[in-house]
């Protein structure tokens, strides 16, 4: 039953000619699907509508040929074929009574245009960034008219495809913002100079789109306020008057802060709702509905935000990926079931770098179409009497046990050597800034506790013999991995001589400390572990040197939008960053190696922490398979290996594998994933 304090979240909200059924709104966000994977897109967004999001949007939709985003994937909306493809998504959203939003877009000087070879256009000949090898040219008045008519064409296509909310996308420094920005826009005609002139392009475009489709659709705009890092020159002092100018033309203001890394700030560096100090200012400029994000997962916080009048809708991208059914769970009073976003930005890493969104918390995200996975439903097993033993309660083992239990297996035993569940997350969540990653363990623990058919046994390390004698029909080994201390480096295939005895992340997290004040943390992993250990030790007063063969510290953090912040943060903590260095040797007083240019490199240190690579702990698996007769006699019908014990990977992938095996365990050979459906052009 819903808590009456949350009823305010389920009030309908009128936006122009349309009415949202509630205040839950999945704001536009990239997925890697665009109009290129239309069935994947439709299934991905449709699930959110099914989960209770009253408004569901697709990602940016370039309206013009010179808004070419390749190699990134966008929801191109330029002709009938695009509209047919994206119309499937509108239909999928409508099936559940929600409204569908389309975010019409032109990137101006930040569009890539490398694949299309179009010249970038901009209010003035100023580039967004030194990147992609292409400068921008100043838009002529004919260009302005062309782009505006492209927005109108896009709006008509979107309306005819069934979309209810049509955005004119202005935020994040794209074309509309570039016109508003006195830094980007140094024109001398009626589109440059005063704020009224710089606002002209946006206001005219909004008016044209409104004239074309405003009777049928709600008109939204996405705007951004400074934020800590500014918005390419548009100050809040000018943004608020602009909002007042735009108000008559707009049915919904979607408000964000300046730069994307800040807007989609990770839990490492930004608390929930951190944007509010900027976005809450919008209310003073308009009485029209406002939506904003804040990585909100707590309904009390959401209700307070609505009651305060600062926002009318609770916007979400990442929390809706982590739990598409978040609104439904609030409606049903099932708050403990909410799978809270960790704020790790693995979704962004996957979407941006690999062009297919995924989630560390929700293994079904992005798998709705190709694997047919529903975030809340699993098929019951046809053979529930088989008993299952899962060894290892890390992310893979916990997810696998949970999913098997949800599939109705009568008896699932999850056994771990340690007293606390979570595997590597036991210590990862204790690294500075990574506390919210603990939600991965906490959610699964709560879910496991709610199921009668799972027994969680902690503090018991099983041997291969004990596994054979356990009496299970199916054995799943999720025994994880450990960090190597042998000094080998898989990437460079070089060996650090005399590295044996060096510390590893697990040993540091178990309480061991460097033998002296100066310590090198050597990182070949490139993500969060080495910076986390470095920060921990620096916080305790050690003189920490983070050494890596990579050209920057933690290159993976660039994919999660954290890279520059992380490196600044380490710098501010006094951690020395040595890049492009491959270690080759260690003595009691130093580490030595070579730079990427071949020069000799040496550093005096008292101790070394190796974050080189992880080694699978697959001993039980090997032992079971080594004696086929004994395995047969034990009555065990199947043995599976999952997670890091197969191959050490990101937490998201270990969870995915645990989930996949549980879904597919009834197949003839579930070792290898079942075929996926490929998306087809419409
Ligand atoms: P993954 O990410 O693949 O889930 P983790 O390393 O996070 O792997 O977790 C593996 C878990 O398996 C750890 O909690 C560890 O204590 C447990 N484990 C490993 N070997 C055994 C064993 N022989 N008996 C019980 N638990 C084990």
């Amino acid at each position: 039953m819903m808590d009456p304090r949350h009823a305010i979240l389920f009030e309908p909200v009128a936006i122009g000619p349309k009415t949202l059924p509630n205040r839950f709104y999945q704001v536009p966000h990239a997925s890697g699907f665009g109009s290129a994977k239309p069935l994947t897109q439709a299934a991905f967004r449709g699930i959110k509508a099914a989960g209770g999001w009253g408004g569901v949007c697709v990602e940016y939709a370039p309206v013009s040929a010179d808004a070419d985003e390749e190699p990134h994937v966008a929801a191109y909306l330029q002709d009938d074929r695009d509209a047919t493809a994206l119309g499937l998504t509108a239909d999928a959203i409508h099936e559940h009574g929600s409204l569908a939003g389309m975010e019409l877009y032109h990137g101006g000087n930040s569009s890539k245009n490398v694949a299309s070879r179009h010249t970038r256009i901009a209010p003035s000949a100023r580039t967004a960034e030194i990147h992609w090898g292409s400068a921008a040219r100043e838009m002529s008045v004919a260009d302005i008219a062309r782009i505006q008519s492209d927005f109108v064409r896009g709006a008509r296509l979107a309306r005819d495809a069934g979309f209810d909310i049509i955005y004119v996308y202005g935020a994040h420094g794209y074309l509309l913002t570039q016109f508003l920005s006195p830094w980007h826009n140094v024109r001398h005609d009626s589109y440059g100079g005063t704020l009224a002139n710089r606002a002209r392009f946006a206001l005219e475009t909004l008016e044209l789109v409104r004239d074309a489709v405003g009777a049928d659709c709600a008109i939204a705009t996405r705007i951004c306020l400074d934020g800590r890092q500014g918005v390419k020159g548009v100050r809040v002092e000018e943004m608020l008057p602009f909002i007042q100018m735009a108000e008559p033309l707009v049915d919904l203001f979607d408000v964000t802060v300046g730069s994307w890394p800040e807007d989609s700030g990770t839990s490492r560096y930004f608390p929930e709702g951190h944007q509010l100090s900027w976005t809450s200012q919008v209310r003073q400029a308009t009485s029209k509905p406002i939506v904003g994000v804040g990585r909100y997962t707590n309904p009390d916080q959401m209700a307070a935000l609505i009651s305060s009048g600062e926002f009318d809708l609770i916007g979400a991208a990442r929390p809706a990926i982590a739990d598409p059914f978040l609104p439904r769970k609030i409606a049903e009073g099932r708050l403990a079931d909410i799978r809270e976003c960790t704020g790790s930005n693995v979704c962004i890493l996957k979407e941006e770098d690999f062009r297919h969104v995924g989630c560390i918390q929700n293994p079904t995200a992005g798998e709705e179409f190709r694997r047919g996975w529903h975030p809340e439903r699993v098929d019951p097993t046809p053979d529930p009497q088989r008993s299952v033993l899962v060894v290892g309660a890390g992310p893979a083992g916990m997810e696998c046990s949970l999913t098997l239990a949800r599939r109705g297996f009568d008896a699932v035993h999850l056994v771990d050597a340690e007293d606390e569940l979570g595997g590597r997350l036991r210590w990862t969540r204790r690294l500075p800034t990574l506390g919210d990653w603990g939600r991965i363990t906490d959610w699964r623990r709560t879910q496991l506790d709610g199921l009668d058919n799972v027994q969680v046994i902690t503090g018991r390390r099983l041997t291969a013999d004990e596994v054979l004698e356990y009496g299970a029909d199916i054995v799943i080994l999720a025994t994880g991995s450990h960090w190597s201390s042998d000094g080998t480096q898989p990437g460079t295939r070089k060996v650090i001589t005399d590295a044996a005895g060096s510390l590893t992340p697990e040993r540091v997290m178990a309480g061991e400390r460097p033998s002296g004040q100066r310590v090198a943390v050597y990182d070949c992993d490139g993500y969060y572990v080495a910076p986390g250990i470095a920060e921990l030790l620096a916080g305790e007063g050690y003189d920490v040197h983070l050494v890596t063969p990579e050209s920057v510290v933690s290159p993976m953090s660039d994919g999660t939008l954290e890279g520059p912040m992380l490196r600044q943060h380490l710098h501010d903590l006094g951690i020395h960053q040595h890049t492009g260095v491959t270690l080759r040797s260690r003595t009691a007083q130093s580490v030595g190696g070579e730079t990427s240019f071949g020069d000799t490199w040496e550093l005096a240190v008292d101790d070394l922490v190796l974050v080189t690579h992880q080694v699978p702990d697959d001993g039980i698996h090997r032992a079971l398979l080594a004696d086929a007769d004994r395995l047969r006699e034990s009555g065990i019908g199947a043995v599976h290996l999952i997670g890091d014990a197969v191959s050490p990977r990101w937490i998201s992938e270990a969870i995915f594998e645990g989930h996949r095996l549980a879904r597919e365990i009834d197949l003839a050979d579930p070792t290898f994933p079942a075929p996926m459906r490929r998306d087809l052009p419409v």
Side-chain angles (χ1 to χ4, degrees):
M1 252 225 335
M2 191 204 303
D3 183 328
R5 289 173 308 153
H6 303 151
I8 193 171
L9 299 171
F10 294 90
E11 293 169 349
V13 179
I15 46 169
K18 298 284 179 178
T19 301
L20 289 158
N22 60 38
R23 297 185 189 270
F24 293 95
Y25 189 88
Q26 184 244 278
V27 294
H29 73 81
S31 61
F33 308 149
S35 35
K37 292 184 184 169
L39 300 168
T40 311
Q41 174 79 268
F44 178 67
R45 307 292 178 184
I47 280 289
K48 291 176 179 42
W53 297 89
V56 180
C57 304
V58 295
E59 59 263 65
Y60 64 154
V63 291
S64 306
D66 50 12
D68 165 35
E69 293 299 317
E70 277 192 60
H72 291 277
V73 183
Y76 291 94
L77 184 54
Q78 293 167 23
D79 59 27
D80 289 338
R81 290 175 69 233
D82 294 333
T84 305
L86 291 165
L88 297 173
T89 294
D91 294 346
I93 294 166
H94 290 159
E95 232 175 82
H96 305 282
S98 302
L99 298 187
M102 172 63 71
E103 187 182 41
L104 304 180
Y105 158 91
H106 197 301
N109 64 21
S110 71
S111 285
K112 315 270 177 311
N113 288 343
V114 277
S116 64
R117 298 180 147 184
H118 288 297
T119 306
R120 289 172 168 187
I121 56 167
S124 303
R126 294 192 157 191
T127 36
E129 61 234 359
I130 304 169
H131 203 37
W132 300 104
S134 116
R137 70 170 171 82
E138 180 180 307
M139 288 168 75
S140 66
V141 172
D143 283 319
I144 289 175
R146 172 173 65 83
I147 301 304
Q148 288 176 332
S149 72
D150 288 347
F151 268 96
V152 169
R153 180 189 56 199
R156 291 204 174 103
L157 286 167
R159 175 197 58 194
D160 296 347
F163 286 87
D164 310 283
I165 305 163
I166 311 294
Y167 273 73
V168 176
Y169 187 6
H172 297 129
Y174 299 132
L175 187 58
L176 263 68
T177 307
Q178 289 158 27
F179 267 97
L180 280 167
S181 159
W183 191 90
H184 281 284
N185 180 351
V186 290
R187 299 173 73 97
H188 295 294
D189 63 3
S190 60
Y191 290 95
T194 62
L195 175 63
N197 276 2
R198 282 181 279 120
R200 192 178 308 280
F201 176 76
L203 298 176
E204 282 179 0
T205 309
L206 279 165
E207 190 166 8
L208 288 164
V209 166
R210 190 175 189 85
D211 287 349
V213 303
D216 307 315
C217 302
I219 307 299
T221 191
R222 199 178 219 185
I223 45 153
C224 52
L225 301 171
D226 297 32
R228 282 196 222 162
Q229 300 177 18
V231 194
K232 320 234 154 124
V234 193
R235 311 303 312 177
V236 67
E237 295 77 17
E238 292 204 317
M239 216 51 185
L240 297 180
F242 168 73
I243 291 165
Q244 284 168 337
M245 291 180 217
E247 189 185 37
L249 304 169
V250 172
D251 301 315
L252 174 64
F253 283 99
D254 180 335
V255 299
T256 66
V257 293
S259 68
W260 192 25
E262 186 177 354
D263 193 30
S264 294
T266 57
S267 55
R268 255 181 180 168
Y269 304 118
F270 297 96
E272 286 171 26
H274 74 94
Q275 303 93 330
L276 262 188
S277 56
W278 295 99
T279 51
S280 65
Q281 299 179 53
V282 173
R283 177 51 83 213
Q284 58 189 274
T286 180
S287 56
K288 289 282 176 72
I290 298 173
V291 61
V293 297
R295 199 160 37 81
Y296 296 115
T297 52
N298 178 333
D300 294 339
Q301 217 179 345
M302 296 178 193
L305 192 55
I306 300 296
S307 303
S308 74
E310 287 166 326
F311 288 173
D312 300 280
L313 307 174
I314 302 299
R318 292 170 294 170
I321 299 172
D323 195 343
F325 276 63
L326 183 149
R328 284 267 287 266
K329 290 174 183 175
I330 297 172
E332 293 164 9
R334 294 166 46 215
L335 305 188
D337 291 339
I338 295 173
R339 195 168 41 233
E340 289 184 287
C341 174
T342 61
S344 67
N345 280 4
V346 164
C347 49
I348 291 171
L349 172 74
K350 287 184 154 270
E351 173 274 311
E352 284 285 294
D353 286 7
F354 313 123
R355 321 282 187 245
H356 196 104
V357 81
C359 177
I360 199 169
Q361 268 283 48
N362 172 12
T364 70
E367 308 299 338
E368 299 84 354
F369 170 74
R370 66 181 184 181
R371 290 195 156 89
W373 289 358
H374 188 283
E376 300 297 310
R377 284 201 296 271
V378 286
D379 292 335
T381 174
D383 192 2
Q385 297 86 357
R386 290 166 297 167
S387 59
V388 188
L389 168 65
V390 180
V391 185
M398 288 184 93
E399 177 66 25
C400 191
S401 305
L402 176 59
T403 310
L404 288 168
R406 287 171 60 206
R407 293 198 58 211
F409 280 87
D410 291 342
V412 179
H413 283 205
L414 173 61
V415 181
D416 200 285
E418 304 291 333
D419 291 333
E420 187 190 338
L421 300 187
R424 59 180 137 159
L425 270 163
R426 280 193 303 268
W427 55 266
T428 301
R429 67 186 302 175
R430 296 198 178 101
L431 289 172
T433 72
L434 289 181
D436 275 1
W437 289 31
R439 291 175 171 188
I440 297 166
T441 309
D442 295 344
W443 182 79
R444 285 169 177 80
R445 169 94 237 194
T446 308
Q447 298 298 304
L448 288 166
D449 286 348
L451 291 164
D452 295 336
N453 51 343
V454 197
Q455 205 178 321
V456 178
I457 301 151
T458 52
R460 183 161 175 209
R461 179 172 294 279
L462 294 174
T463 62
D465 281 348
E466 287 168 327
V467 170
L468 283 164
E469 288 154 16
Y470 201 90
D473 298 313
I474 301 173
V475 169
I476 297 169
L477 299 161
T479 40
S481 63
H482 63 274
W483 286 91
S484 167
S485 61
D486 69 1
T488 56
Q489 306 173 58
T492 56
R493 287 178 311 225
K494 288 175 180 156
V495 180
I496 307 168
T497 51
D498 297 323
S502 299
L503 291 166
T504 60
E506 285 116 350
R507 284 174 51 192
V508 173
M509 295 312 286
E512 283 187 61
R513 286 296 175 264
S515 55
Q517 195 60 19
R518 262 166 85 87
V519 57
V521 178
Y522 184 52
D523 185 19
C524 303
D525 173 59
Y527 195 12
Y528 58 87
V529 175
I533 296 287
E535 181 170 349
L536 179 86
L537 294 176
E540 293 177 6
Y542 290 91
D543 179 15
V544 182
H545 293 256
L546 187 42
V547 184
T548 176
E550 301 291 338
S551 50
V552 292
V553 163
S554 188
M556 199 60 76
S557 296
D558 288 335
T560 56
L561 310 179
E562 295 166 303
M565 277 179 281
L566 172 102
R567 295 186 277 269
Q568 181 71 49
H569 184 67
L570 298 178
H571 174 80
D572 295 346
L573 293 170
I575 295 166
H576 309 274
Q577 301 176 50
H578 305 270
T579 57
V581 174
T582 300
L583 290 194
R584 303 297 301 271
S585 61
R586 181 189 168 181
T587 69
Q589 303 84 29
S590 70
V591 286
E594 64 208 11
T595 71
S596 47
F597 302 112
D599 296 335
T600 304
W601 185 92
E602 195 170 358
L603 182 73
V605 289
D606 302 308
D607 214 335
L608 171 65
V609 185
L610 286 174
V611 190
T612 51
H613 63 109
Q614 292 156 275
V615 182
D617 289 329
D618 56 0
I620 297 181
H621 186 247
R622 286 179 190 278
L624 295 189
L625 296 197
D627 192 342
D629 292 339
R630 218 178 142 203
L631 185 61
R632 201 175 323 106
E633 285 157 19
S634 73
I636 296 172
V639 178
H640 302 286
L641 186 68
I642 56 171
D644 279 14
V646 181
S647 145
R649 278 157 291 168
W650 299 335
I651 290 167
S652 57
E653 305 316 286
I655 291 177
F656 169 82
E657 192 168 50
H659 189 85
R660 183 201 68 75
L661 178 67
R663 290 228 185 212
E664 297 183 347
I665 202 157
D666 298 317
L667 298 181
D669 179 10
T671 317
F672 191 74
M676 298 186 293
R677 286 196 285 178
R678 275 188 299 120
D679 213 330
L680 296 169
V682 175

